[in-house]
Amino acid sequence: MTQPVLPTAQPSVSRRVVRALLAMASVLPAFPALANPQHPSAWQINLTRGDSGLSHDVWDLHMAVFWVCVCIGIVVYGVLVYSLFKFRKSKGAKPDTGFTHHTLLEVVWTTIPVLILIGLAYPASRLLVYENNTAGSQLTVKVTGVQWLWRYDYVDYLGQPIRHVGLISKLAEDSNEARQGVPGISPWNIKSKSGVRDYLLNVTEPLVVPTHTKIQFLITSVDVIHGFWVPALGWQADAIPGQIHDAWGEFDNPGTYRGQCAQLCGQDHAYMPIVIKAVPRSEFQQWLADRESKAHMDVISRTAQVVRASETQPQG
Amino acid sequence: MSTHAATHDDAQHDDVPKGFVHRWLFATNHKDIGTMYLVLALVMFFVGGTMAMVIRAELFEPGLQLVQPYFFNELTTLHGLVMIFGAIMPALVGLANWQIPLMIGAPDMALPRMNNLSFWIMPFAFLLMLSTLFMPGGAIAGGWVMYPPLILQTGESLAFTIFAIHLMGISSIMGSINIIATILNLRAPGVDLLKMPLFVWTWLITAFLLIAIMPVLAGAVTMLLTDKYFGTNFFNAAGGGDVLLYEHVFWFFGHPEVYVMILPAFGVISEVIPTFARKPLFGYKPMVYATASIAFLSFIVWAHHMFTVGLPVGAQLFFMYATMLIAVPTGVKVFNWVATMWKGSMTFETPMLFAVAFVILFTIGGFSGLMLGLVPADYQYHNSYFVVAHFHYVLVTGAAFGIMTGVYYWLPKWSGHMYSERWGKIHFWLSVISVNVLFFPQHFLGLAGMPRRIPDYNVAFADWNMVSSIGGFVFGATQLIFVGNIIYTVYFAKNQAPARVWEGAHGLEWEVPSPAPHHTFSTPPEIKPGMLAHGDIAH
């Protein structure tokens, strides 16, 4: 009892309250940390910040409008809840039947929202114009939605056309078996090499792109409307038959970024994920060169087959 | 001759038609038709709700447990169509049928036989639509928006569904003509336009919206029909058509349609809050003007449902600004409701509880609506569960809560008995808690990247989906209390409701006895000072 209490070992109550409040406050900024840009996390409650300047801008706009809504909500709900408790008949409140209109109030609560909206519209418009400008992109990829898979074709890179490099990306075999109820495979057991539980978010072959590169996506469809949505890019774009929808995105860090078809496209709509593997530029260049030479060899061998076939075939 | 006719009429008037066929099948009485609309809506609410329960059960955990993906899509599609056209709209028309003549001092709707036809089309339209579930190939499964080319992959059920939609459209248009004709022609002397109750105002504006948009929907679905069966290429890119044409035409209908579902609910709330605050509605005229502004703006914002289709930047900017603008009159409505409560003397019977929950929760839907209105943010929210959360906040805690508010508020007038306040409050508290457990986590799911309309999902989405499903089951079960309370009130309650059911209620419907006699206001009422809620105050 008489021993002196060391302040460092036993902080005062007020200090502990402050610490608890700080800890609680730190949870709010921690929410984006919960959101992994590459794939969704359990109990995630907020949008991912994504992995590029563009997606960060989108996230900032999202948070700005969120906090504006919170502030308006505090004011409106504050007045409402105050009224609910203050102006109760059981508390002896008498109705002020004369308080039924107030022109100045009406003008004020029309004008203030307009000003707030202008404040939101300005950054939104700037970002929208920036986001829709695909000029200056260094890699062009054509994305084609098909019931129920994605086809990717590389169009050009650093101004050079790319020939015959494309790939078909469909739901990976383990997810496909699990979703069809093959015994012994549970959605919970499906994991990528790096340990990500990627049920329905893994594919046979991902789209490979370089980091730090403005990538133009030309998005279309051959059958019904699909939706190309990778949250890390910061946007989604509909794939519409008969139209080419251009959009652009970028990745700052290597990684495997996962998304899904967003537009209802028939019975297997839930089973056509999008996986983008971002790799350093040098690695991408190597990958592209390999694919190009393989495609070139394929063309040569196919031509040879055709020539041999026409030589042996009787004319007529 | 004329005397004879008059006495003959009088004898008929006090008679309720005998026999089921005469009373209901040949019904021309606005109260009977209103009742039938409300019963149909309640039945369809449970049909659509059952589908929602299956959807939430399938989404309870990852993996497919209950239904196949195609059937899941049939369920989401029909859930939407049934709830919109079968539950919300008929319920609001039922409220209009009962209340508009009572509120404006009219003896009945202006066109009683057409009223009969517009009701009796509906059950057959829904039988037709629901029967497609049992057809080879199943019902349509392309979502309630029925986007081509996907919807054209459906079997023959598409033709049946489109015919059902045509019937519902005809019914809605006839109902709207009737409402407009009633309000513009049958008001009792002294009930000027700007003295009408807000509920009547909102329905007048809604009826004009319906007449404007239902033919547009009919056109869109007819083009689907000819594309499928007659070789036209309206929406077939390979034949020179344009898929986006459908989206534009559909949403030109679809956006005002969402206001069709919410404006009359605004009207109900604008009746209930003044009654229980014992104070006239704050800012009556701004409320009327705000309703009209929302209706006008609803015609120029359709493309915000299409922000991700790749419209030109200029068009996206225009539709973003127009969409944001809707927040202004909607805000005016919310502020005026709050100001009505301010300096009031409030009590919290069940209708008031639902009305307060409406204001709070509809506003959450409004906030997420504002977020969705900002195009760059919408690129992330679009077609995700965030959108599902948004429109269920405005349609369930908005429109459906508004309808429940109206039912609890006017049921004593209709039935002559008080509902059970105790069970009403239990229904309210269970509903308001479970509906938030049901829909609030869906915001999180959408932001985390879960698309809408999927039967199966990655395990990262498992936790919030389970929470949402539990909320859904509780919410669904809670609605049985609502039905139980209505049945109790109509058939078993003993306590007689007074003419003026609520202490603070003003308006002509409270001048007639409870239950409202089969025929009311056969001669127009004489309006005395204080009778109308908005009669004697210069706003």
Side-chain angles (χ1 to χ4, degrees), chain A residues 52-73:
Chain A
S52 64
L54 173 61
S55 68
H56 292 175
D57 288 349
V58 171
W59 191 84
D60 290 343
L61 181 69
H62 155 73
M63 289 314 284
V65 62
F66 171 73
W67 286 117
V68 166
C69 289
V70 168
C71 294
I72 299 171

CSV table of all heavy atoms in Angstrom, one decimal, chain A residues 52-73:
chain,number,residue,atom,x,y,z
A,52,SER,N,-2.7,1.6,-57.9
A,52,SER,CA,-2.2,2.6,-58.8
A,52,SER,C,-2.6,4.0,-58.4
A,52,SER,O,-3.6,4.1,-57.6
A,52,SER,CB,-2.6,2.3,-60.3
A,52,SER,OG,-4.0,2.5,-60.4
A,53,GLY,N,-2.0,5.0,-59.0
A,53,GLY,CA,-2.5,6.4,-58.7
A,53,GLY,C,-3.9,6.6,-59.0
A,53,GLY,O,-4.7,7.2,-58.2
A,54,LEU,N,-4.4,6.0,-60.1
A,54,LEU,CA,-5.8,6.1,-60.5
A,54,LEU,C,-6.7,5.5,-59.5
A,54,LEU,O,-7.7,6.1,-59.0
A,54,LEU,CB,-6.0,5.4,-61.9
A,54,LEU,CG,-7.4,5.3,-62.4
A,54,LEU,CD1,-8.0,6.7,-62.6
A,54,LEU,CD2,-7.5,4.5,-63.7
A,55,SER,N,-6.4,4.3,-59.1
A,55,SER,CA,-7.3,3.6,-58.1
A,55,SER,C,-7.2,4.3,-56.8
A,55,SER,O,-8.2,4.4,-56.0
A,55,SER,CB,-7.0,2.1,-58.0
A,55,SER,OG,-5.7,2.0,-57.4
A,56,HIS,N,-6.1,4.9,-56.4
A,56,HIS,CA,-6.0,5.7,-55.2
A,56,HIS,C,-6.9,6.9,-55.2
A,56,HIS,O,-7.6,7.3,-54.3
A,56,HIS,CB,-4.6,6.1,-54.9
A,56,HIS,CG,-3.7,4.9,-54.5
A,56,HIS,ND1,-2.3,5.1,-54.3
A,56,HIS,CD2,-4.0,3.6,-54.3
A,56,HIS,CE1,-1.8,3.9,-54.1
A,56,HIS,NE2,-2.8,3.0,-54.1
A,57,ASP,N,-6.9,7.6,-56.4
A,57,ASP,CA,-7.8,8.7,-56.6
A,57,ASP,C,-9.3,8.3,-56.4
A,57,ASP,O,-10.1,9.0,-55.8
A,57,ASP,CB,-7.6,9.4,-58.0
A,57,ASP,CG,-6.3,10.1,-58.1
A,57,ASP,OD1,-5.6,10.3,-57.0
A,57,ASP,OD2,-5.9,10.4,-59.2
A,58,VAL,N,-9.6,7.2,-57.0
A,58,VAL,CA,-11.0,6.7,-56.9
A,58,VAL,C,-11.3,6.4,-55.4
A,58,VAL,O,-12.4,6.8,-54.9
A,58,VAL,CB,-11.2,5.4,-57.7
A,58,VAL,CG1,-12.5,4.8,-57.5
A,58,VAL,CG2,-11.0,5.7,-59.2
A,59,TRP,N,-10.4,5.8,-54.7
A,59,TRP,CA,-10.6,5.5,-53.3
A,59,TRP,C,-10.7,6.8,-52.5
A,59,TRP,O,-11.6,6.9,-51.6
A,59,TRP,CB,-9.4,4.7,-52.8
A,59,TRP,CG,-9.7,4.1,-51.4
A,59,TRP,CD1,-10.3,3.0,-51.1
A,59,TRP,CD2,-9.3,4.7,-50.2
A,59,TRP,NE1,-10.4,2.8,-49.8
A,59,TRP,CE2,-9.8,3.8,-49.2
A,59,TRP,CE3,-8.6,5.8,-49.8
A,59,TRP,CZ2,-9.6,4.0,-47.8
A,59,TRP,CZ3,-8.4,6.1,-48.4
A,59,TRP,CH2,-8.9,5.2,-47.4
A,60,ASP,N,-9.9,7.8,-52.8
A,60,ASP,CA,-10.0,9.1,-52.1
A,60,ASP,C,-11.4,9.7,-52.3
A,60,ASP,O,-12.0,10.2,-51.4
A,60,ASP,CB,-8.9,10.1,-52.6
A,60,ASP,CG,-7.6,9.6,-52.1
A,60,ASP,OD1,-7.5,8.8,-51.2
A,60,ASP,OD2,-6.6,10.1,-52.7
A,61,LEU,N,-11.9,9.7,-53.6
A,61,LEU,CA,-13.2,10.2,-53.9
A,61,LEU,C,-14.3,9.4,-53.1
A,61,LEU,O,-15.2,10.0,-52.5
A,61,LEU,CB,-13.5,10.1,-55.4
A,61,LEU,CG,-14.9,10.7,-55.8
A,61,LEU,CD1,-14.9,12.2,-55.6
A,61,LEU,CD2,-15.2,10.3,-57.2
A,62,HIS,N,-14.2,8.1,-53.1
A,62,HIS,CA,-15.1,7.2,-52.3
A,62,HIS,C,-15.1,7.6,-50.9
A,62,HIS,O,-16.2,7.8,-50.3
A,62,HIS,CB,-14.7,5.8,-52.5
A,62,HIS,CG,-15.1,4.8,-51.4
A,62,HIS,ND1,-16.4,4.4,-51.3
A,62,HIS,CD2,-14.4,4.2,-50.5
A,62,HIS,CE1,-16.4,3.6,-50.2
A,62,HIS,NE2,-15.2,3.5,-49.7
A,63,MET,N,-13.9,7.8,-50.3
A,63,MET,CA,-13.9,8.2,-48.8
A,63,MET,C,-14.4,9.6,-48.6
A,63,MET,O,-15.1,9.9,-47.6
A,63,MET,CB,-12.4,8.0,-48.3
A,63,MET,CG,-12.0,6.6,-48.2
A,63,MET,SD,-13.2,5.5,-47.4
A,63,MET,CE,-13.1,5.9,-45.7
A,64,ALA,N,-14.1,10.5,-49.6
A,64,ALA,CA,-14.6,11.9,-49.4
A,64,ALA,C,-16.1,11.9,-49.4
A,64,ALA,O,-16.7,12.5,-48.5
A,64,ALA,CB,-14.1,12.8,-50.6
A,65,VAL,N,-16.7,11.2,-50.3
A,65,VAL,CA,-18.2,11.3,-50.3
A,65,VAL,C,-18.8,10.5,-49.2
A,65,VAL,O,-19.8,10.9,-48.6
A,65,VAL,CB,-18.8,10.8,-51.7
A,65,VAL,CG1,-18.4,9.3,-52.0
A,65,VAL,CG2,-20.3,10.9,-51.8
A,66,PHE,N,-18.1,9.5,-48.7
A,66,PHE,CA,-18.5,8.7,-47.5
A,66,PHE,C,-18.5,9.7,-46.3
A,66,PHE,O,-19.5,9.7,-45.6
A,66,PHE,CB,-17.6,7.5,-47.3
A,66,PHE,CG,-17.8,6.9,-45.9
A,66,PHE,CD1,-18.9,6.1,-45.7
A,66,PHE,CD2,-16.9,7.0,-44.9
A,66,PHE,CE1,-19.2,5.5,-44.5
A,66,PHE,CE2,-17.1,6.4,-43.7
A,66,PHE,CZ,-18.2,5.7,-43.5
A,67,TRP,N,-17.4,10.4,-46.1
A,67,TRP,CA,-17.3,11.3,-44.9
A,67,TRP,C,-18.3,12.4,-45.0
A,67,TRP,O,-18.9,12.9,-44.0
A,67,TRP,CB,-15.9,11.8,-44.7
A,67,TRP,CG,-15.0,10.7,-44.1
A,67,TRP,CD1,-13.9,10.2,-44.7
A,67,TRP,CD2,-15.2,10.0,-42.9
A,67,TRP,NE1,-13.4,9.2,-43.9
A,67,TRP,CE2,-14.1,9.1,-42.8
A,67,TRP,CE3,-16.1,10.1,-41.9
A,67,TRP,CZ2,-13.9,8.2,-41.7
A,67,TRP,CZ3,-15.9,9.3,-40.8
A,67,TRP,CH2,-14.9,8.3,-40.7
A,68,VAL,N,-18.6,12.9,-46.3
A,68,VAL,CA,-19.6,14.0,-46.4
A,68,VAL,C,-21.0,13.4,-46.0
A,68,VAL,O,-21.7,14.1,-45.2
A,68,VAL,CB,-19.7,14.4,-47.9
A,68,VAL,CG1,-20.9,15.2,-48.2
A,68,VAL,CG2,-18.5,15.3,-48.2
A,69,CYS,N,-21.2,12.2,-46.4
A,69,CYS,CA,-22.5,11.5,-46.0
A,69,CYS,C,-22.6,11.4,-44.4
A,69,CYS,O,-23.6,11.6,-43.8
A,69,CYS,CB,-22.7,10.2,-46.6
A,69,CYS,SG,-23.0,10.3,-48.4
A,70,VAL,N,-21.4,11.0,-43.9
A,70,VAL,CA,-21.4,10.8,-42.4
A,70,VAL,C,-21.7,12.1,-41.7
A,70,VAL,O,-22.5,12.2,-40.8
A,70,VAL,CB,-20.0,10.2,-41.9
A,70,VAL,CG1,-19.9,10.3,-40.4
A,70,VAL,CG2,-19.9,8.8,-42.4
A,71,CYS,N,-21.1,13.2,-42.2
A,71,CYS,CA,-21.3,14.5,-41.6
A,71,CYS,C,-22.7,15.0,-41.7
A,71,CYS,O,-23.3,15.4,-40.7
A,71,CYS,CB,-20.4,15.6,-42.2
A,71,CYS,SG,-18.6,15.2,-41.8
A,72,ILE,N,-23.3,14.8,-42.9
A,72,ILE,CA,-24.7,15.2,-43.1
A,72,ILE,C,-25.6,14.3,-42.2
A,72,ILE,O,-26.5,14.8,-41.5
A,72,ILE,CB,-25.2,15.0,-44.6
A,72,ILE,CG1,-24.3,15.9,-45.5
A,72,ILE,CG2,-26.6,15.4,-44.7
A,72,ILE,CD1,-24.5,15.6,-47.0
A,73,GLY,N,-25.2,13.1,-42.1
A,73,GLY,CA,-26.0,12.1,-41.3
A,73,GLY,C,-26.0,12.5,-39.8
A,73,GLY,O,-27.0,12.5,-39.1
